[in-house]
Amino acid sequence: MKLIIDTDPGIDDAMAIALAHAMPEVDLIGLTACFGNTFTEQSSRNARYICDLMGFSVPVAEGAALPYGETDYVPSANVHGPEGLGDLAEVPQIGKNVDETAAAFLVRMAAEHKGELVICAVAPLTNIADALELDPAFAHNVKELVIMGGAYKHAGNITAHAEANIYHDAKAADLVFASKLKTKMIGLDATMLTLLTPEDFGELAKKAPKIGGFIAHISDFYLAFYRSVGVTNGCPMHDATAVLACTHPEKFTFEATGLRVILEGDALGQTVADSTRQPVDVAVDVAGKWAVDLFMERIISLG
Ligand code: RIB
Ligand code: CA
């Protein structure tokens, strides 16, 4: 499967990139960077650093710096750390971004791999909305968009109603749900069932000291955040779960429904059913133990 991950690395984004690299089913052909957990420049720098650390190289295209219609953005440093990778105080600049915007790269790759390209979007959906605007054929050319974002029956995580990726650019997310893109939404209903425990990270560090050890190290910060908000049994591998939905959709239970995003008020960023729109496959359940076990196995295989 030809895959591009649209990402804001981000601790669980790093897990997703590592997992995609380790999945034999996946041909990872690029990463596109968005603001979100970090500013966009930090996202693309972190994406390049993560690839280098994991011993591979793919094009990294930098995308949107701000949500639709906004002039300012504050990243989620309390969840992912000041540079996006836990307590790492400095992240080296390795290599360079490609000389093309994320939206232009997505549009070009979708045309070159027409009907084949899967995009796993694990950040605010601004780059995807930009690609839809840039090329009317984009929605048709993409095989499938798999989103980590939204909360369907589950409560929100950034507000009582909204999940962070959707909340951070509700307008862009609504444009995506209004589009003709064939879409799966892997929201909190599924990702909160895929928790990694401190013991899992201990095992990763022991059995795969380089890559597993890196993931374990940066995840200390992430575990501490989740403990601080009352999740005491681990931290969700949100973005890695979306990668698994690309390769193993049969392990998920989906409900098909049109969706829209609430664009104002207390419920800003909430994803709600809208029968006037094209159905999205919304994940309402996943085989959580299977997902964690496969993540562990694949990361350990990286060493
Ligand atoms: O709500 C979880 C999502 O928000 C994940 O993509 C995580 O990386 C954060 O950006
Ligand atoms: Ca993310």
Side-chain angles (χ1 to χ4, degrees):
M1 164 193 304
K2 301 262 181 238
L3 185 76
I4 294 176
I5 303 181
D6 184 70
T7 178
D8 56 342
I11 295 166
D12 61 320
D13 301 73
M15 296 179 198
I17 294 166
L19 179 63
H21 174 54
M23 296 292 279
E25 300 88 344
V26 170
D27 177 10
L28 185 63
I29 63 168
L31 299 174
T32 49
C34 191
F35 71 90
N37 298 323
T38 48
F39 293 114
T40 311
E41 302 77 16
Q42 292 171 302
S43 296
S44 62
R45 176 204 60 189
N46 290 357
R48 287 182 274 111
Y49 172 70
I50 290 163
C51 294
D52 184 68
L53 184 99
M54 308 212 166
F56 71 97
S57 170
V58 291
V60 175
E62 189 173 288
L66 292 169
Y68 269 52
E70 301 293 329
T71 53
D72 196 16
Y73 180 73
V74 180
S76 310
N78 60 322
V79 187
H80 293 268
E83 297 298 331
L85 297 175
D87 72 356
L88 260 62
E90 276 178 39
V91 180
Q93 286 282 359
I94 310 264
K96 280 167 56 175
N97 299 325
V98 296
D99 191 17
E100 198 174 20
T101 65
F105 181 75
L106 288 166
V107 160
R108 187 167 63 80
M109 287 297 110
E112 275 178 26
H113 303 286
K114 193 172 171 174
E116 269 186 276
L117 177 66
V118 176
I119 300 171
C120 187
V122 297
L125 292 170
T126 322
N127 290 338
I128 310 302
D130 283 348
L132 284 165
E133 253 184 31
L134 191 61
D135 180 8
F138 178 69
H140 175 71
N141 289 346
V142 169
K143 180 178 183 194
E144 186 175 39
L145 173 71
V146 178
I147 292 168
M148 189 287 127
Y152 186 52
K153 295 178 183 167
H154 201 281
N157 62 357
I158 192 159
T159 71
H161 306 283
E163 181 281 329
N165 284 340
I166 304 297
Y167 179 85
H168 282 140
D169 196 341
K171 287 189 186 122
D174 194 57
L175 287 170
V176 170
F177 291 133
S179 78
K180 294 281 179 224
L181 274 166
K182 183 174 175 338
T183 302
K184 283 191 173 70
M185 180 178 109
I186 314 303
L188 300 178
D189 304 80
T191 66
M192 288 306 293
L193 300 173
T194 57
L195 297 187
L196 295 166
T197 64
E199 292 71 32
D200 291 329
F201 290 116
E203 190 181 337
L204 286 181
K206 190 167 156 214
K207 295 191 175 158
K210 184 164 183 225
I211 294 171
F214 170 74
I215 289 173
H217 176 82
I218 62 175
S219 295
D220 278 347
F221 193 98
Y222 198 49
L223 280 166
F225 166 77
Y226 273 98
R227 273 195 303 275
S228 78
V229 294
V231 181
T232 53
N233 50 344
C235 59
M237 49 177 224
H238 295 292
D239 295 350
T241 304
V243 169
L244 292 176
C246 300
T247 56
H248 292 78
E250 72 283 0
K251 296 291 184 181
F252 292 72
T253 306
F254 294 100
E255 261 182 49
T257 177
L259 288 175
R260 74 189 160 86
V261 181
I262 304 289
L263 297 177
E264 57 193 6
D266 285 351
L268 174 70
Q270 186 174 8
T271 42
V272 296
D274 181 341
S275 61
T276 67
R277 288 192 169 170
Q278 168 179 293
V280 167
D281 285 328
V282 177
V284 292
D285 198 8
V286 59
K289 183 176 179 321
W290 164 85
V292 168
D293 287 351
L294 185 57
F295 175 81
M296 295 291 292
E297 180 199 306
R298 293 285 82 222
I299 301 301
I300 288 167
S301 80
L302 292 174

